[in-house]
Amino acid sequence: MASVGMLSPGTPRSPSEMTTSEIFAPKSSWTPLTLENSDIKSTDLGAVAEEGLEAAEGSEESPYSAKSAYSNEKKPSEVDDGGDSMAPSRLSASSLESRWSDTSSYGAKKKLQAWCQLSNGDWALGRILSTSGEESVISLPEGKVLKFDTESLLPANPDILDGVDDLMQLSYLNEPSVLYNLQYRYLRNMIYTKAGPVLVAINPFKEVYLYGNDYIEAYRRKTVDKPHVYAIADTAIREMIRDEVNQSIIISGESGAGKTETAKIAMQYLAALGGGSGIEYEILQTNPILEAFGNAKTLRNDNSSRFGKLIEIHFSETGKIAGANIQTFLLEKSRVVQCAQGERSYHIFYQLCGGASLSLREKLNLKSVEEYKYLKQSSCFTIAGVDDASRFHSVMEAMNVVHIKKDDQDAVFAILAAVLWLGDVSFTVIDNENHVEIVEDEAALTVAKLIGCDIGDLKLALSTRTMRVGSDNIVQQLTLSQATDTRDALAKSLYASLFEWLVEQINKSLEAGKRRTGRSISILDIYGFESFERNSFEQFCINYANERLQQHFNRHLFKLEQEEYVQDGIDWAKVDFDDNQNCLCLFEKRPLGLLSLLDEESTFPNGTDLTFANKLRQHLNSNPCFRGERDKIFSVSHYAGEVVYDTSGFLEKNRDLLHIDLIQLLASCMCCLPQIFASKMLAQSVKTVGNLYRFSGGESHKLSVATKFKGQLFQLMQRLETTTPHFIRCIKPNNLQVPATYEQGLVLQQLRCCGVLEVVRISRSGYPTRMSHQKFAKRYGFLLLENVASQDPLSVSVAILQQFNILPDMYQVGYTKLFFRTGQIGALEDTRNRTLHGILRVQSCFRGHRVRCYVKRHRQAVITLQSFIHGDKARRMYSVLVHKHRAAVILQRNLKSQTTRKEFVNVRNASIVIQSVIRGWLVRRCSGDVVPNTSKTVVDTKVPETDQVPVKSSVLVELQRRILKAESALREKEEENDMLHQRLQQYDSRWSDYEQKMRSMEEVWQKQMRSLQSSLSIAKKSLALDGVDVNSDGSMDQSICTNGNYTGTEGLENKGPSVGSRLTGREMSASLNIISRLAEEFEQRSQVFIDDAKFLVEVKSGQAEASLNPERELRKLKQTFETWRKDYNLRLRETKVIIHKLGNDEIKADKVKKKWWGKLNNARAI
């Protein structure tokens, strides 16, 4: 038991320590609230009553009824599972009866509710019908009536507390109340509930609309205060910025509880608030990679994380994400080579086989998942609703985002394929001692090809073992079981090393660098407490980690409690709480702790799982947290319960040895990744003898798994100790993974394992119910008299406490809040509910009378109003009829006048026609002689009209249309003609430019040729002069030599010049030949270039026809000419050098001749 600063449940205070005597002085009587003595109007009471109407009506089964014999006799809080032995303070039934006689019928009508445990272990909420002795008769909701032991019943909370978002608000904290509250919220899609400082998240197994940008914005703006992962993440980032202290979010829970998704949601919120630099997208894209390589389908979860991870997100000074770092813990390597029936190996194997492209499949020689031994042993290949092919493409995209190169990706896929093919490597027995060798089939050849090693080296590494004895190396042949274990060890080591390498590459991509400020938020997604029928080494390590996290949590919880009590200035003292230090000592104590004994036994070559279990029983039976069982079984009392472990496989998993031959095999591979893996394995080897566990001379010495995990855990705890933690406990509601199904037993087991009930109990060990002065006065102030209710909230609160005789030990008054013991608020709530019911009854009568009077008055008013309305309506209808009659008369009159007018016009027109005919006849009869002349005139005048050609208007329109069409066509032709003229002018200008360029090029070529010709002519002249001199000297030498007057050594000297002259003559002739050839080449090539240029000009101008591009050919000709010119100049310079050298030799020969001539003259003179 450990003690920390906390409230003392029943520590009395002296009067000098009290803040005010009125706060704690009990009152013997109090004045009830009556409508006659109060000026509170009915409308005011109605407002108060309406505020609590729903609570009052819902509290029909309230356990706080003052008339209940259960509450008076049995005190259900005494059997509260939370260990709270303090019963709530109650008013006596007689006092309440006398004070609240107008609502006395309320208590008689209510029946107390309680929790009872059924035979199947589930809890049911029933109504207590009667209690006699030690038995109580309970009526269940389905109509059954059962008898239960009264002491086994647990009190139920009032209906006002149904579905509270914080379990701390429950008046009675027990297992059924917590289960019911969580179920109540879960079935209404409220999957998040606060448990003090812990957020409880229940996996809904369906899509719930609680996420997205709208919710992120709401929690960022603080417009929503409901429990949520967003709220936890928002609190973390705000406290980090405000306090400049690193934060941590610790997520735990069993497989399938939703830890991974919860971590994603937290990361999404942090990325939304701290995004903007682009690094947040890379952080989110690490999830597909880690899930593919670290998650697998189990019987409990389709996407179970088989490793723990800590994601540390770094922030800049402005609060933006600057980078991240990922640390992983205890990857389940055994899943690579062995899967239980109905489970799958890691997702990436199935994604690779299902989503690889055709070229990649051919490169890796991939088969279908049903053909690999490692994958087909579980007979489970797919997951319902999951497309492995699309997931594989998502993984490749994520690798590109985190900057893993394409070559490295191919190397990763090659290692994965090699692991799959290793499972298909088979052995054949070669002798009677069961020794084996590898069958050199497709599997072995493919593995050697994929990892880049020689097939012979692979066969030796998997079928033999090199042992070092003294200074000699002994090669031992392996048996079938040993060879199989060696093959599986290589596969597990390859995959584990690949996983670590991927995490390193991700960390390099997410590295913060100079942008890092030291502020960070760490998200810990780690396995929760596990207890199965058979618990092995993995559960041993997982539960040890949870013991460490639970101790960290307890310390943090008590620290928060102390801070709140100190800030509010209430008296507090130390209280005892259950500590798990004894269990931690059982694991960590040296040299006789579980981990130390495990490492010690692992160092012995002959150590077995049974000897390890015997050693535990021998040394640890005195520890209260340890209990030795039979054979290989032992049990440990953890904080969440007792767990029975089976030591089978403990030593092998703890050693996790990889023979040095396999490391050397990886080091000899041509591929880069196996070499990297081998170098890391060698670097991790421990050289200190005390830390080594030697299984054989050829084993790779390294830290045991337990020791390495313990070191990682200590580093994790040190990091978390420097942060402000925020806890999230994930709960799995059912094993079927279906929505809207809530299994009480499963949830209760997880609540115990996660320590949720213990958390709330520790939080409630002081004063769990807290309410601000303002809220308390507003809720219960209407029960007081006017002269008190009008005062400040603190005075009102103190008056309420005194009026209801709540003992001073049951509450504390702080600066801003009132702190109550468990269940103390129940008496006030019960009185408030009954008062509200009484007020409502009075108000119902008064409102009924008022409404009836109101109805009578309004009925008379309605009748009067209707009479006026009916009269007005009749008058309006009569007015309309009058208007219609008048309109009809006017319409008839107009119609009749119009008809008469038409008849008159017709008669008048007919009269005019008759008159015109008669008058014409009379005129023609009286004027008969005029007719012939007029007829002739008419004929004469009509003759010229017959000469005119009648033309139809449609013909004219057609002609005009054709004219317009011809004019438009003419304009188009003119425009086209202008464009052709412009193009012609452009071509003329281009042609003139081209001719100028050609002329300039010809001039340049001619100048260069003239310079070359001048150089040749000068060279010829110089050579011709040199040849004349040589001939003259040769004739002179010949004439002198014929005299025969000079002999001896002088004669020998005389021979030298003549020989030199002959040699110079031959060289000179060769030089002349070279010069002549150069001249001939110059003439020939110049003529060729000139001819080609002229031909191209003719083709360009159209004088000659050829199927070639003159401009391109001209460029080629120019390049050829430049190349030849450079080569020709080089040869010409070489020729000049030779001529210059010959000239120097000639000068030397002249000097020799002069010397010789002087000697000859001297001889003649003598």
Side-chain angles (χ1 to χ4, degrees):
M1 303 293 288
S3 297
V4 297
M6 186 53 65
L7 291 167
S8 177
T11 304
R13 297 188 302 163
S14 63
S16 60
E17 295 174 336
M18 297 182 183
T19 57
T20 174
S21 59
E22 289 78 10
I23 296 177
F24 304 109
K27 296 187 69 177
S28 58
S29 62
W30 52 280
T31 304
L33 176 65
T34 58
L35 295 176
E36 291 81 1
N37 297 331
S38 176
D39 291 334
I40 300 177
K41 297 180 180 180
S42 61
T43 54
D44 298 333
L45 287 175
V48 177
E50 287 172 358
E51 178 185 353
L53 177 60
E54 183 179 353
E57 292 176 349
S59 62
E60 293 290 322
E61 300 82 13
S62 174
Y64 300 105
S65 176
K67 290 212 168 199
S68 173
Y70 178 76
S71 61
N72 292 330
E73 297 175 5
K74 291 300 176 183
K75 300 290 185 184
S77 62
E78 294 179 358
V79 294
D80 187 356
D81 193 51
D84 301 325
S85 61
M86 189 65 65
S89 177
R90 305 287 186 182
L91 292 173
S92 64
S94 59
S95 175
L96 291 174
E97 181 72 23
S98 61
R99 299 299 182 184
W100 300 93
S101 57
D102 57 336
T103 59
S104 60
S105 60
Y106 170 81
K109 294 179 181 179
K110 310 305 169 188
K111 298 296 183 180
L112 190 67
Q113 285 188 331
W115 292 104
C116 54
Q117 192 169 20
L118 303 179
S119 58
N120 60 359
D122 291 342
W123 290 92
L125 183 63
R127 190 187 304 275
I128 298 178
L129 300 179
S130 63
T131 301
S132 60
E134 297 181 354
E135 288 187 352
S136 297
V137 179
I138 305 295
S139 174
L140 299 180
E142 58 270 18
K144 294 182 179 179
V145 178
L146 302 175
K147 289 185 179 181
F148 292 91
D149 187 2
T150 303
E151 294 183 356
S152 65
L153 301 179
L154 297 179
N157 291 284
D159 291 348
I160 189 178
L161 298 179
D162 285 349
V164 293
D165 56 10
D166 193 342
L167 299 179
M168 292 282 291
Q169 300 176 13
L170 295 177
S171 294
Y172 293 112
L173 179 66
N174 46 53
E175 289 181 350
S177 296
V178 172
L179 287 172
Y180 173 75
N181 192 76
L182 293 177
Q183 182 179 9
Y184 183 91
R185 295 178 59 81
Y186 171 71
L187 296 178
R188 289 161 178 79
N189 291 331
M190 296 182 287
I191 62 174
Y192 297 112
T193 305
K194 289 285 288 182
V198 179
L199 177 67
V200 178
I202 304 181
N203 193 342
F205 291 117
K206 66 178 181 180
E207 184 179 358
V208 291
Y209 300 99
L210 298 176
Y211 315 102
N213 295 330
D214 295 338
Y215 281 90
I216 291 175
E217 189 65 19
Y219 280 93
R220 186 182 70 84
R221 295 180 178 272
K222 292 291 185 182
T223 57
V224 178
D225 59 352
K226 295 181 181 179
H228 201 288
V229 178
Y230 288 165
I232 297 292
D234 184 80
T235 302
I237 194 170
R238 289 180 186 274
E239 290 184 3
M240 181 197 68
I241 297 174
R242 182 192 65 199
D243 304 332
E244 296 186 355
V245 176
N246 293 341
Q247 308 290 310
S248 60
I249 301 175
I250 302 173
I251 305 172
S252 61
E254 76 167 39
S255 179
K259 301 186 298 297
T260 302
E261 293 300 322
T262 302
K264 286 183 188 178
I265 295 168
M267 291 170 63
Q268 289 172 1
Y269 188 85
L270 295 178
L273 264 66
S277 61
I279 191 68
E280 69 277 3
Y281 182 66
E282 295 185 25
I283 295 175
L284 295 178
Q285 285 300 305
T286 61
N287 290 321
I289 301 176
L290 295 178
E291 285 188 16
F293 286 85
N295 289 24
K297 180 186 183 302
T298 64
L299 295 176
R300 295 188 175 188
N301 186 9
D302 289 343
N303 189 30
S304 176
S305 297
R306 309 315 300 164
F307 69 105
K309 64 180 176 182
L310 177 70
I311 303 177
E312 187 176 9
I313 303 176
H314 301 282
F315 291 82
S316 64
E317 296 179 354
T318 58
K320 299 299 181 182
I321 296 178
N325 183 72
I326 299 176
Q327 182 180 358
T328 59
F329 309 96
L330 198 65
L331 176 70
E332 187 184 9
K333 297 190 292 186
S334 60
R335 183 168 292 272
V336 176
V337 300
Q338 185 178 3
C339 294
Q341 194 71 19
E343 296 187 350
R344 294 204 321 176
S345 186
Y346 290 102
H347 293 325
I348 188 61
F349 293 124
Y350 305 89
Q351 294 171 1
L352 177 63
C353 294
S357 62
L358 183 60
S359 58
L360 183 60
R361 296 180 69 87
E362 293 177 353
K363 181 179 179 180
L364 304 180
N365 194 19
L366 285 178
K367 301 185 295 184
S368 62
V369 292
E370 295 86 355
E371 300 181 50
Y372 288 109
K373 179 182 177 182
Y374 281 162
L375 302 183
K376 68 182 180 180
Q377 57 185 339
S378 64
S379 302
C380 181
F381 307 105
T382 59
I383 301 176
V386 176
D387 185 3
D388 290 322
S390 63
R391 295 288 179 91
F392 180 72
H393 297 306
S394 300
V395 171
M396 295 185 67
E397 293 176 1
M399 286 184 172
N400 294 329
V401 172
V402 298
H403 309 295
I404 297 179
K405 300 178 181 178
K406 186 64 171 62
D407 295 340
D408 291 339
Q409 294 182 27
D410 294 340
V412 168
F413 299 145
I415 296 297
L416 293 174
V419 171
L420 292 178
W421 278 106
L422 266 175
D424 292 344
V425 171
S426 57
F427 303 92
T428 179
V429 179
I430 58 176
D431 56 22
N432 295 330
E433 296 182 0
N434 204 25
H435 294 156
V436 296
E437 67 177 11
I438 288 183
V439 177
E440 192 172 339
D441 55 2
E442 181 186 13
L445 294 174
T446 304
V447 170
K449 175 185 176 182
L450 291 174
I451 65 176
C453 71
D454 183 71
I455 183 63
D457 296 339
L458 179 64
K459 293 173 64 176
L460 288 175
L462 295 183
S463 60
T464 62
R465 179 172 297 174
T466 302
M467 310 291 293
R468 186 172 183 83
V469 179
S471 59
D472 299 330
N473 291 331
I474 299 176
V475 178
Q476 178 184 359
Q477 199 78 18
L478 299 180
T479 62
L480 180 60
S481 61
Q482 291 174 339
T484 304
D485 293 341
T486 302
R487 178 199 65 189
D488 293 343
L490 177 60
K492 292 188 292 185
S493 179
L494 278 175
Y495 190 82
S497 300
L498 177 63
F499 184 78
E500 293 177 359
W501 180 84
L502 278 173
V503 174
E504 291 178 0
Q505 300 304 309
I506 292 173
N507 287 335
K508 289 180 182 178
S509 174
L510 303 180
E511 189 175 6
K514 296 181 180 179
R515 299 174 295 175
R516 180 175 178 177
T517 62
R519 301 176 185 175
S520 65
I521 297 179
S522 301
I523 301 177
L524 179 63
D525 177 9
I526 199 166
Y527 7 69
F529 188 87
E530 292 185 354
S531 179
F532 306 123
E533 293 182 0
R534 183 182 181 278
N535 300 283
S536 187
F537 180 75
E538 290 79 9
Q539 285 71 41
F540 179 79
C541 294
I542 288 172
N543 293 339
Y544 165 56
N546 279 271
E547 289 287 349
R548 267 286 167 197
L549 291 174
Q550 182 67 18
Q551 189 186 56
H552 171 73
F553 173 76
N554 288 341
R555 283 208 305 267
H556 175 73
L557 173 65
F558 279 95
K559 180 180 178 182
L560 286 183
E561 290 289 319
Q562 286 177 314
E563 287 180 356
E564 185 169 2
Y565 295 150
V566 170
Q567 289 174 0
D568 242 67
I570 67 174
D571 295 336
W572 58 275
K574 292 183 179 180
V575 295
D576 294 334
F577 69 97
D578 292 333
D579 194 3
N580 63 340
Q581 186 60 43
N582 290 335
C583 189
L584 283 176
C585 291
L586 175 65
F587 277 88
E588 299 173 353
K589 186 178 179 181
R590 302 182 66 180
L592 296 179
L594 286 173
L595 299 177
S596 300
L597 293 176
L598 177 61
D599 284 344
E600 178 183 344
E601 193 67 18
S602 298
T603 59
F604 297 144
N606 296 327
T608 62
D609 299 327
L610 183 59
T611 58
F612 170 60
N614 293 333
K615 182 175 289 187
L616 293 181
R617 285 192 290 269
Q618 178 183 355
H619 294 285
L620 300 178
N621 265 338
S622 59
N623 193 299
C625 296
F626 178 85
R627 185 162 57 91
E629 304 285 350
R630 64 188 183 282
D631 298 333
K632 302 178 182 180
I633 307 299
F634 70 94
S635 62
V636 176
S637 297
H638 292 279
Y639 73 93
E642 187 178 40
V643 179
V644 178
Y645 296 99
D646 186 354
T647 60
S648 299
F650 263 56
L651 298 185
E652 179 184 356
K653 293 178 180 179
N654 186 50
R655 289 167 179 155
D656 192 27
L657 293 178
L658 188 67
H659 198 271
I660 193 65
D661 292 347
L662 298 179
I663 299 178
Q664 292 175 354
L665 173 68
L666 296 179
S668 65
C669 293
M670 301 298 295
C671 299
C672 59
L673 285 185
Q675 295 177 0
I676 295 174
F677 300 161
S679 62
K680 288 184 179 180
M681 293 176 190
L682 294 175
Q684 292 174 356
S685 298
V686 179
K687 297 182 180 180
T688 306
V689 176
N691 293 331
L692 292 181
Y693 53 95
R694 293 183 172 87
F695 184 75
S696 65
E699 300 294 348
S700 172
H701 305 305
K702 64 177 182 179
L703 291 174
S704 67
V705 174
T707 302
K708 183 179 178 181
F709 183 64
K710 178 182 176 182
Q712 290 180 336
L713 198 58
F714 269 94
Q715 293 178 1
L716 175 63
M717 290 298 105
Q718 290 176 357
R719 181 180 300 179
L720 294 180
E721 286 292 342
T722 61
T723 65
T724 301
H726 307 269
F727 298 92
I728 301 177
R729 306 286 191 179
C730 298
I731 303 296
K732 183 178 180 180
N734 60 80
N735 284 322
L736 300 178
Q737 304 182 33
V738 294
T741 302
Y742 190 87
E743 299 178 5
Q744 287 190 9
L746 178 63
V747 174
L748 182 58
Q749 178 189 1
Q750 294 174 77
L751 291 176
R752 290 171 177 170
C753 293
C754 293
V756 172
L757 293 176
E758 186 67 18
V759 167
V760 182
R761 291 191 186 107
I762 292 174
S763 300
R764 291 166 56 95
S765 61
Y767 294 87
T769 305
R770 304 153 196 184
M771 192 176 296
S772 64
H773 298 159
Q774 292 80 3
K775 184 177 180 180
F776 188 81
K778 180 180 178 181
R779 186 168 183 83
Y780 304 107
F782 73 96
L783 300 175
L784 299 177
L785 299 177
E786 179 191 7
N787 58 349
V788 179
S790 61
Q791 297 179 6
D792 62 279
L794 178 59
S795 301
V796 174
S797 301
V798 172
I800 294 171
L801 296 174
Q802 293 175 350
Q803 182 167 298
F804 284 89
N805 295 330
I806 297 180
L807 298 178
D809 290 341
M810 296 296 103
Y811 69 90
Q812 287 271 10
V813 180
Y815 297 141
T816 61
K817 297 178 182 178
L818 294 173
F819 296 82
F820 295 92
R821 294 285 188 192
T822 302
Q824 294 307 304
I825 204 69
L828 293 176
E829 191 67 27
D830 182 47
T831 304
R832 178 179 180 273
N833 291 338
R834 290 187 290 107
T835 304
L836 290 176
H837 271 276
I839 293 172
L840 289 175
R841 290 179 62 186
V842 173
Q843 289 181 347
S844 64
C845 296
F846 172 74
R847 288 176 180 175
H849 173 73
R850 188 174 63 177
V851 167
R852 283 189 292 274
C853 295
Y854 176 82
V855 169
K856 286 182 179 180
R857 291 195 303 269
H858 281 266
R859 180 182 297 169
Q860 188 63 36
V862 166
I863 293 172
T864 304
L865 182 61
Q866 285 179 349
S867 64
F868 284 107
I869 293 174
H870 291 164
D872 182 71
K873 184 178 180 182
R875 284 188 291 272
R876 290 177 182 273
M877 291 177 64
Y878 175 76
S879 177
V880 170
L881 290 175
V882 170
H883 284 293
K884 288 183 177 179
H885 176 71
R886 291 176 182 176
V889 170
I890 294 172
L891 183 60
Q892 288 176 358
R893 183 178 61 205
N894 292 333
L895 288 175
K896 289 178 180 180
S897 63
Q898 185 178 7
T899 304
T900 304
R901 190 180 299 108
K902 287 183 179 180
E903 292 177 355
F904 171 76
V905 170
N906 292 334
V907 172
R908 187 183 60 181
N909 292 335
S911 301
I912 293 172
V913 171
I914 293 172
Q915 289 176 359
S916 64
V917 171
I918 294 172
R919 288 173 181 171
W921 177 76
L922 292 174
V923 170
R924 286 191 296 274
R925 191 183 63 177
C926 296
S927 305
D929 55 346
V930 183
V931 174
N933 295 330
T934 56
S935 61
K936 184 178 181 181
T937 305
V938 171
V939 173
D940 293 338
T941 56
K942 290 183 179 179
V943 170
E945 292 180 359
T946 56
D947 296 337
Q948 298 180 0
V949 178
V951 180
K952 294 183 180 181
S953 59
S954 59
V955 177
L956 292 175
V957 172
E958 179 66 19
L959 291 175
Q960 291 176 357
R961 188 182 64 79
R962 292 183 180 181
I963 291 171
L964 293 175
K965 184 176 180 181
E967 290 176 353
S968 62
L970 180 62
R971 284 194 298 271
E972 291 178 357
K973 294 297 182 180
E974 289 177 353
E975 292 175 357
E976 184 179 358
N977 193 17
D978 293 339
M979 292 176 62
L980 293 175
H981 279 295
Q982 292 177 2
R983 291 183 181 178
L984 183 60
Q985 291 175 1
Q986 292 177 359
Y987 289 149
D988 292 339
S989 61
R990 290 181 184 176
W991 174 246
S992 59
D993 294 340
Y994 183 77
E995 285 183 342
Q996 291 178 1
K997 290 181 182 179
M998 295 296 296
R999 292 193 190 95
S1000 62
M1001 290 178 61
E1002 288 181 359
E1003 292 176 358
V1004 171
W1005 289 350
Q1006 290 175 2
K1007 289 179 181 179
Q1008 291 176 354
M1009 291 178 183
R1010 284 196 294 269
S1011 63
L1012 292 175
Q1013 288 177 354
S1014 61
S1015 300
L1016 285 173
S1017 61
I1018 293 171
K1020 287 180 180 180
K1021 291 179 181 179
S1022 61
L1023 288 174
L1025 294 175
D1026 293 340
V1028 173
D1029 294 338
V1030 170
N1031 292 331
S1032 62
D1033 292 340
S1035 60
M1036 185 179 293
D1037 294 340
Q1038 186 179 7
S1039 63
I1040 293 173
C1041 292
T1042 55
N1043 293 331
N1045 296 326
Y1046 191 76
T1047 58
T1049 57
E1050 293 178 358
L1052 292 172
E1053 293 176 356
N1054 186 27
K1055 291 173 68 177
S1058 64
V1059 174
S1061 298
R1062 287 193 297 272
L1063 290 173
T1064 303
R1066 286 195 298 271
E1067 292 176 357
M1068 193 61 70
S1069 62
S1071 299
L1072 290 174
N1073 291 333
I1074 292 173
I1075 291 172
S1076 62
R1077 285 197 299 272
L1078 288 175
E1080 292 177 359
E1081 181 182 355
F1082 176 79
E1083 294 294 339
Q1084 294 176 358
R1085 296 303 293 271
S1086 61
Q1087 187 62 35
V1088 170
F1089 284 130
I1090 291 171
D1091 294 341
D1092 291 345
K1094 288 181 178 179
F1095 176 71
L1096 291 176
V1097 170
E1098 292 176 355
V1099 172
K1100 181 67 177 179
S1101 61
Q1103 298 176 5
E1105 295 182 357
S1107 59
L1108 50 84
N1109 189 346
E1111 295 182 356
R1112 185 171 64 252
E1113 295 297 331
L1114 182 61
R1115 286 195 297 270
K1116 290 182 180 179
L1117 181 62
K1118 186 176 179 181
Q1119 293 175 0
T1120 305
F1121 175 75
E1122 291 296 331
T1123 304
W1124 172 80
R1125 185 176 63 82
K1126 291 179 182 179
D1127 180 65
Y1128 189 80
N1129 287 334
L1130 179 62
R1131 288 185 288 164
L1132 189 60
R1133 283 196 297 271
E1134 291 176 354
T1135 305
K1136 288 182 180 179
V1137 171
I1138 294 172
I1139 294 171
H1140 181 69
K1141 183 177 180 181
L1142 293 175
N1144 292 336
D1145 293 341
E1146 184 179 356
I1147 293 171
K1148 291 180 182 179
D1150 291 340
K1151 290 180 180 180
V1152 172
K1153 285 190 292 183
K1154 290 179 181 179
K1155 183 177 180 181
W1156 170 77
W1157 186 256
K1159 289 182 180 182
L1160 181 60
N1161 292 335
N1162 290 336
R1164 288 179 179 177
I1166 293 173

